[in-house]
Amino acid sequence: MIIQRLFAVLYMLAGLAKAFPELESVAETLKLAAIANQGTWYQGITFWLAEHGAAVNILVGAVLFGSGLVLMLNPLWTTLVIYGQLLMMAIFVTLLHHSQPQVIFLDALFALAAFYMLHVQYRRKPQPRTFPTRAFSTPVTLPAPPTSPPLEDEYDVVIIGGGVSGLTAATELTHKRVLVLEKSPTFGGNARYNTVSTLKFPIAGVCFQQPQPDSSMMRLLKKVGLDQAYKSNEKDTLVFFDTFLLLRCLGEVTLGFLKYPAYLLKLSVWGLTGQLFLHAIIGKPYVVAAKQLGDPIFAELYTFLDKFSPRSKHYPSLPWTPDSAWSHEHMALLDNLSLHDYLFEPDKLGPLPEHLQPPRKLGKLVENAVATTLRVECLDIHDVSAYVGLHFLVGYLRGNLVTLPGGNGGISAGLYDYLSGHDTIRLQSHAQLQAITPQPNGTLIEVIVNGELSRVMARQVIWAAPKTELASWLPALPAEQLAALEQIRHEDYYLANVLLEKPLLSHSFGGYLIEPDAANEPYSWCKAGTCLVANWMDNQAGADVGVLTLLKPTTRSERQDRTAKNEFVALQQQTYVEIAKVLRNLGIPASMIEDIHIWYWPAGLVTSVVGQQAQGVFNLARQPFKNIHFANQDSVGIGNIESAVSAGLEAATAVKAALAQEFPPIDFAANLEMSS
């Protein structure tokens, strides 16, 4: 700010000097310029200005003094004044360089100062603001139904947990008597949405891989009537490259485009190049491009990932099972390597089969993009194994993503609506589990509903809640299964909803923010890597407001056991700084932001680390215990909705097989007597 204030004084003095012709006469200067500019394309404008020298003198004096005053006061729109000064200098040099050559040197000095001031302005943090929301958000609390009928004494299946896994399992069991117990007021687990002015926006999970036509996800979407409701990001994703990261990786970018010269014929590529150098000069933090413009840079990685597509024989399915496409030997080979070492440290690799050989020269920009993509699911590039990392990158970096109005909450809502239409399914919220006790011919479940303790016998049980506290409910689990449960990592997850006074970026799915680590910044361990636009997802809502969703997941190495659960206001201000930086880069004032909601999902996502698939941690943790089956993302080892769906389907298949066996009728009274 010292340089800015110094030039502010110089501009104001220059403006005041115009009031004293004996010091500087603009009229005389323009007359000399008119003579010197004869025969040039701008002689006409020079003569016109010379004829109105007195008025021009007043105007120039006012503009110089006013722009200097703005530089001194430094309001939010100072950048516009600096751009105006650069334009004014260009005009001065054009008109005066023949009659006063010294203007070139003088205005070059002022131009350099202007570019420096732009750098400062674009990295200027907004002043702290107070927003209406002052605490972490929680799902809407609804009162328990006052006339909810009592639970029945027995059910074919009781599902504990009304998230996506539990609801998915229930859709496969509609021909049985099923009770779904959910402790929260609403169903959906970590896949829910809120609404503002008819606009649905996600408060947890936001998107999923574009489903294959014959996949289990597509079959589920068809069942609940959502197979035509989602929207793909194939052509609508932006990438916000950190300007100076992109500049440092210019060699990598250039080489990528030289390998694919057809791209050099596209005007958008040259526009991206011009944007890069312009932003480097003026200090804009991001270069914004359509995702497709990065294809030449990522071509080698994409070609490699295509070997492992879901339609190939080498798809790395999760969790690994003996009937998977991969042999245990090859899976273990990659699962015992970190993804970082596998893709970016080829010298550390031993002998690998030819089809598993990674590209030899992937650059720093590609590494940052991979790390950002992984971080969205709380996966760390140094911790996650190459096997799990490949599985994730195939779907979430190489493949297209799709979403519904309200994000993944749209799937939860679709599942709930579907199940509500079946008389055989009882969906019970506000249910507080008290005990779960396996019996010889079933499992006794004690639960408080409507303030009353109910005791229910279930022929089969699906535990579809997270396994974080499973050992306390089922301490009789085998020791090796309890040990496996202890190894599963669950990471905290934060998500911010930025409420805007009107829709912005509604033409886009959103964008990835690819930028280097900034470990010294506050809450760098909880930094947004992706922003999604609710108006793009819910483009039929016609809402007059906007919402940007910032994914702010954490990974273990970044977080190091830190949490912001008691630091909402500070995290909210850091989120404000992040989104204001993005908006300013797009020429949008941060005053558009009306409120910032932040959702804290403790232990919200499971993460898989090196060696866990090879050791069979997740397979062991999900082994049935008596007549209790397990279904959740932590049965698979990766925190996405596809895992939740597949786990629910697998548990339902096992339950159907168990129910098909001959069971003697449940003697409910005898079992109650035994338990007491």
Side-chain angles (χ1 to χ4, degrees):
M1 287 300 296
I2 295 176
I3 291 178
Q4 184 168 312
R5 290 198 173 99
L6 172 62
F7 277 83
V9 171
L10 293 177
Y11 273 105
M12 286 190 287
L13 290 176
L16 291 172
K18 301 303 182 282
F20 302 95
E22 60 273 17
L23 296 177
E24 181 182 2
S25 174
V26 172
E28 289 298 321
T29 300
L30 289 173
K31 288 178 182 178
L32 293 174
I35 297 171
N37 290 344
Q38 293 183 68
T40 63
W41 61 268
Y42 44 86
Q43 68 175 7
I45 186 65
T46 313
F47 277 117
W48 186 89
L49 291 172
E51 289 175 357
H52 300 83
V56 172
N57 182 70
I58 295 172
L59 176 63
V60 170
V63 168
L64 288 173
F65 185 85
S67 61
L69 187 61
V70 170
L71 292 181
M72 183 64 70
L73 298 177
N74 198 35
L76 290 175
W77 40 274
T78 300
T79 51
L80 297 178
V81 171
I82 299 174
Y83 282 124
Q85 290 173 346
L86 286 168
L87 177 61
M88 183 173 61
M89 283 179 250
I91 294 172
F92 285 172
V93 170
T94 301
L95 298 180
L96 303 179
H97 73 278
H98 286 301
S99 59
Q100 295 184 335
Q102 67 272 19
V103 75
I104 298 175
F105 172 78
L106 185 61
D107 278 5
L109 179 63
F110 274 76
L112 288 174
F115 288 135
Y116 173 79
M117 288 186 283
L118 283 174
H119 270 270
V120 173
Q121 290 298 321
Y122 279 118
R123 278 157 175 72
R124 173 184 174 187
K125 289 188 177 181
Q127 291 295 318
R129 279 178 56 187
T130 299
F131 294 101
T133 299
R134 305 294 290 169
F136 285 108
S137 299
T138 55
V140 176
T141 301
L142 302 175
T147 58
S148 176
L151 300 181
E152 297 179 16
D153 290 339
E154 56 185 273
Y155 290 89
D156 293 320
V157 184
V158 172
I159 299 174
I160 300 172
V164 169
S165 283
L167 297 177
T168 297
T171 65
E172 294 288 297
L173 301 166
T174 53
H175 59 294
K176 301 294 182 182
R177 294 172 303 144
V178 178
L179 170 64
V180 182
L181 298 173
E182 170 57 44
K183 66 179 180 180
S184 301
T186 56
F187 290 82
N190 291 354
R192 310 187 199 197
Y193 65 76
N194 273 7
T195 304
V196 56
S197 185
T198 74
L199 179 65
K200 296 176 182 176
F201 59 92
I203 62 175
V206 294
C207 57
F208 53 101
Q209 301 171 36
Q210 185 160 326
Q212 298 292 323
D214 57 350
S215 65
S216 57
M217 176 64 85
M218 180 59 83
R219 289 193 293 271
L220 179 70
L221 293 174
K222 286 181 178 179
K223 180 184 288 187
V224 300
L226 295 175
D227 56 307
Q228 301 296 320
Y230 62 76
K231 189 175 180 181
S232 170
N233 77 335
E234 182 178 3
K235 298 180 180 178
D236 298 301
T237 301
L238 298 176
V239 181
F240 291 76
F241 290 102
D242 180 271
T243 298
F244 292 98
L245 172 64
L246 197 57
L247 204 58
R248 288 197 298 273
C249 299
L250 190 57
E252 179 184 343
V253 175
T254 303
L255 183 61
F257 282 108
L258 289 177
K259 287 182 177 179
Y260 297 87
Y263 275 83
L264 298 177
L265 301 178
K266 296 184 177 184
L267 292 177
S268 54
V269 171
W270 294 103
L272 178 65
T273 305
Q275 186 187 162
L276 170 61
F277 288 110
L278 175 63
H279 287 196
I281 291 171
I282 65 178
K284 269 195 171 184
Y286 297 115
V287 172
V288 187
K291 181 184 177 185
Q292 290 78 5
L293 282 183
D295 285 353
I297 304 169
F298 299 99
E300 287 189 75
L301 178 61
Y302 286 167
T303 300
F304 178 64
L305 292 177
D306 286 342
K307 296 180 182 180
F308 307 101
S309 73
R311 294 212 171 265
S312 77
K313 64 180 181 179
H314 297 304
Y315 179 61
S317 57
L318 286 179
W320 181 89
T321 57
D323 58 352
S324 297
W326 285 49
S327 68
H328 185 274
E329 177 189 5
H330 287 172
M331 179 275 293
L333 195 62
L334 263 60
D335 196 61
N336 286 305
L337 289 169
S338 77
L339 183 65
H340 179 271
D341 288 353
Y342 180 60
L343 293 181
F344 304 105
E345 296 286 347
D347 294 339
K348 295 183 178 180
L349 302 180
L352 292 173
E354 185 177 349
H355 74 280
L356 297 181
Q357 290 283 348
R360 302 300 293 178
K361 293 182 179 179
L362 295 175
K364 200 67 179 176
L365 192 61
V366 174
E367 182 181 340
N368 273 272
V370 169
T372 298
T373 306
L374 291 166
R375 194 177 296 122
V376 170
E377 294 293 332
C378 293
L379 298 172
D380 183 87
I381 192 171
H382 296 280
D383 284 350
V384 70
S385 76
Y387 182 79
V388 176
L390 284 180
H391 170 90
F392 185 76
L393 293 179
V394 163
Y396 280 79
L397 180 64
R398 180 57 174 141
N400 296 321
L401 301 179
V402 297
T403 190
L404 294 156
N408 292 351
I411 295 180
S412 297
L415 290 167
Y416 181 84
D417 291 342
Y418 175 82
L419 294 170
S420 297
H422 289 80
D423 294 336
T424 56
I425 306 293
R426 170 73 179 268
L427 298 169
Q428 181 62 60
S429 61
H430 295 88
Q432 300 298 318
L433 184 66
Q434 299 298 299
I436 174 170
T437 310
Q439 303 285 355
N441 297 321
T443 293
L444 174 65
I445 295 172
E446 298 176 62
V447 59
I448 293 178
V449 176
N450 297 330
E452 298 286 335
L453 178 65
S454 296
R455 308 177 84 187
V456 172
M457 286 299 299
R459 293 177 65 188
Q460 296 290 315
V461 175
I462 296 177
W463 179 280
K467 297 185 181 68
T468 49
E469 298 178 7
L470 183 57
S472 62
W473 292 104
L474 293 171
L477 286 171
E480 60 272 17
Q481 191 167 4
L482 290 172
L485 291 171
E486 284 289 323
Q487 294 182 54
I488 297 177
R489 285 189 179 182
H490 291 81
E491 299 295 345
D492 296 347
Y493 195 92
Y494 298 82
L495 181 145
N497 296 126
V498 181
L499 276 60
L500 308 165
E501 65 181 36
K502 68 178 183 180
L504 297 176
L505 296 174
S506 55
H507 62 284
S508 174
F509 169 84
Y512 289 100
L513 308 177
I514 299 178
E515 49 193 341
D517 293 333
N520 295 326
E521 289 186 5
Y523 302 104
S524 61
W525 51 274
C526 186
K527 187 175 180 60
T530 307
C531 63
L532 300 172
V533 187
N535 302 76
W536 182 91
M537 301 177 188
D538 196 5
N539 57 2
Q540 302 301 315
D544 58 355
V545 296
V547 177
L548 289 174
T549 296
L550 303 187
L551 307 184
K552 299 174 71 67
T554 64
T555 64
R556 178 128 334 180
S557 59
E558 293 171 332
R559 182 165 57 91
Q560 295 178 340
D561 297 321
R562 291 177 290 187
T563 179
K565 66 180 180 181
N566 298 316
E567 302 170 13
F568 172 80
V569 173
L571 183 58
Q572 185 187 56
Q573 289 301 313
Q574 179 64 17
T575 303
Y576 173 55
V577 169
E578 289 178 18
I579 194 59
K581 179 181 174 183
V582 172
L583 294 179
R584 184 185 299 163
N585 195 91
L586 297 170
I588 301 169
S591 57
M592 287 285 186
I593 301 171
E594 293 190 328
D595 199 4
I596 297 178
H597 300 170
I598 302 179
W599 304 80
Y600 170 50
W601 302 98
L605 280 181
V606 67
T607 63
S608 182
V609 298
V610 170
Q612 287 188 330
Q613 294 290 332
Q615 296 163 17
V617 168
F618 298 100
N619 283 324
L620 185 54
R622 67 194 179 104
Q623 289 302 304
F625 177 68
K626 300 184 183 297
N627 69 337
I628 302 173
H629 308 264
F630 303 106
N632 209 306
Q633 55 174 320
D634 49 17
S635 293
V636 177
I638 194 165
N640 54 23
I641 196 165
E642 292 87 354
S643 296
V645 167
S646 64
L649 293 175
E650 183 174 331
T653 299
V655 164
K656 283 191 287 186
L659 289 173
Q661 299 177 17
E662 289 293 329
F663 278 103
I666 297 177
D667 187 341
F668 184 69
N671 277 320
L672 285 181
E673 186 176 340
M674 286 177 60
S675 65
S676 60

